[in-house]
Amino acid sequence: MFPEAELPEAEPAVPPARVVLIDDEAMVRLAMEQALQLAGLAVEAYASAEAALPAITRDFSGIVVSDVRLPGRDGLALLAEIRRRDPELPVVLVTGHGDIAMAVAAMREGAYHFIEKPFVNEAFVEVVRRALEKRALVTENRRLRHALDRGDAPGGAVERCLVGQSPAMRRLRDDVASLASAAADVLVLGETGAGKEQVARALHEGGRRRDKPFVAINCGAIPESMFESEIFGHEAGAFTGAGKRRIGKVEHASGGTLFLDEVESMPLALQVKLLRVLQERRVERLGSNASVPVDLRVVAATKEDLDALSEAGRFRRDLFFRLNVVTLTLPPLRERREDIPLLFERFLVQAAVKYQRPVVEVPPSLRRSLMLADWPGNVRELKNAAERAVLGFLSPDLAGGPEAAPGLDALLDRVERLVIEDALKASGQRIAEAARALGLPRKTLSDRMRRLGLSAGD
């Protein structure tokens, strides 16, 4: 063992998420354990709180499901101990006694949920899944904070800015991390609302310039008459109303990063001046004959095809070539749907803090709607939806009713039916083999086949 002072800095190990299940009645404990295992969840079952507590450490990445009436330390005492060890660990309490006063006390003490026996297995499993999702969010946030606490390492800043576990986002994070400390200018391509500024911030905060200014300019939001003064600055008396010298955005960003969003909107007449700044790293204020040296990295972003715009004469080709040193492409949200639940949960937490409201639960119907929606406004639209949910203005079907997401359950059933049919066909209609290929217990596959009206001979 290392002495404590010599332990190497490393991210905390994150064990696989699992459910610690506690119930002193063997048959009840077995039934709950099987219900969770059939849903594909890892379970560790115990007959008492004392037996389970050694498994519940601060780096425990799962949740606890416990009966309230236990020998020795009961469920409420267990909840208090878990809250002492880790206030963010979800605890689901179960009782068969219908004790409303106890339920209220448990919720006040911080229980995640309270379930009364007898319960429907599907509802029980859904509560456990939601609790595990919440725990996963807490675990990831802790990991990112730990990375930042180790000196704000580039990887930590990049992961904090670019959230998601889809293959596309993992590749993007790798590319950004490798570029963060380089001096090269970068062109970011992506649809409106996809998060192009977050890519720019990741490049800035993950590199050596992170302690210097990050200056963002939306080229499409500045009136053309003010553009030159805003970007390049002006001297006193340079034009009517210019009563004193103004430092432009380019000069202000010296030492740090200049982010040019919607760069395709920059007036053609000013693109020549920007090109000179990029080539010479010097800026000349409006009304001045002297140039000022600037040390900056330029990250430009666009939703348009600049190559096509330059061919059409709507964007300077030489500026396009100068910006296009390294290109990063940010995928739209519809191409990384597996990132939607995590992003939505984060936005819910941010919105709850912003508006001082409690974090709302995400019901299954809303989760399905989130995953199936096209999100033309991308991450920005998803964030707005989370804010509406916290404020109470978002219905479980994304506030759009059938028009926004027609026949969600029927659509999901059709997709599931096609997947199962393909697996059965590939296995020669052998259910056990199809279940293995799908990663499901045989009983779960058989139940789903019955619900969908399928048989192995279809």
Side-chain angles (χ1 to χ4, degrees), residues 163-164 192-195 331-334 336-351 355 360 362 366-390 394 398:
V163 177
T192 297
L333 196 55
R334 64 182 174 278
R336 51 185 184 106
R337 294 182 185 274
E338 56 267 57
D339 294 335
I340 290 174
L342 177 60
L343 284 166
F344 193 71
E345 289 283 355
R346 286 203 168 195
F347 293 149
L348 284 176
V349 173
Q350 292 172 6
Y355 298 113
V360 298
V362 182
L366 176 55
R367 187 177 293 108
R368 289 195 298 270
S369 298
L370 292 171
M371 294 293 289
L372 289 171
D374 283 335
W375 301 109
N378 290 291
V379 177
R380 185 182 302 151
E381 184 183 1
L382 182 67
K383 184 175 183 179
N384 291 342
E387 294 202 358
R388 290 198 300 275
V390 168
L394 184 71
L398 287 179

Side-chain angles (χ1 to χ4, degrees), residues 215-219 222 227 231 249-250 258-262:
V215 179
I217 303 169
N218 187 329
C219 299
I222 303 175
F227 206 103
I231 303 298
K249 299 290 190 183
V250 172
L258 178 68
F259 175 55
L260 299 172
D261 197 9
E262 296 187 27

Side-chain angles (χ1 to χ4, degrees), residues 203-333:
L203 288 165
H204 174 75
E205 295 179 16
R208 292 188 293 267
R209 297 178 180 266
R210 59 184 174 273
D211 295 326
K212 300 297 182 180
F214 176 87
V215 179
I217 303 169
N218 187 329
C219 299
I222 303 175
E224 186 169 350
S225 60
M226 298 175 57
F227 206 103
E228 187 168 5
S229 172
E230 189 75 17
I231 303 298
F232 306 113
H234 64 254
E235 296 289 350
F239 52 86
T240 303
K244 59 181 180 179
R245 171 186 289 178
R246 175 187 174 88
I247 300 300
K249 299 290 190 183
V250 172
E251 194 172 344
H252 180 61
S254 187
T257 301
L258 178 68
F259 175 55
L260 299 172
D261 197 9
E262 296 187 27
V263 70
E264 74 278 3
S265 303
M266 179 176 286
L268 281 168
L270 297 177
Q271 291 179 20
V272 178
K273 194 164 185 177
L274 175 63
L275 177 62
R276 179 176 295 178
V277 171
L278 297 182
Q279 290 174 335
E280 301 177 4
R281 283 327 198 238
R282 300 183 72 88
V283 63
E284 189 174 301
R285 302 187 196 111
L286 186 63
S288 173
N289 293 322
S291 60
V292 179
V294 289
D295 170 27
L296 48 78
R297 177 187 213 168
V298 177
V299 180
T302 179
K303 62 182 180 295
E304 303 287 351
D305 183 344
L306 293 186
D307 193 14
L309 290 181
S310 65
E311 288 283 357
R314 294 165 53 197
F315 195 85
R316 289 190 63 93
R317 195 153 189 81
D318 48 4
L319 179 57
F320 165 62
F321 287 138
R322 185 62 186 80
L323 291 172
N324 195 28
V325 178
V326 178
T327 300
L328 296 175
T329 301
L330 182 57
L333 196 55

Side-chain angles (χ1 to χ4, degrees), residues 65-79:
V65 177
S66 175
D67 191 26
V68 171
R69 306 284 184 175
L70 294 172
R73 192 192 304 256
D74 66 13
L76 292 181
L78 173 66
L79 173 63

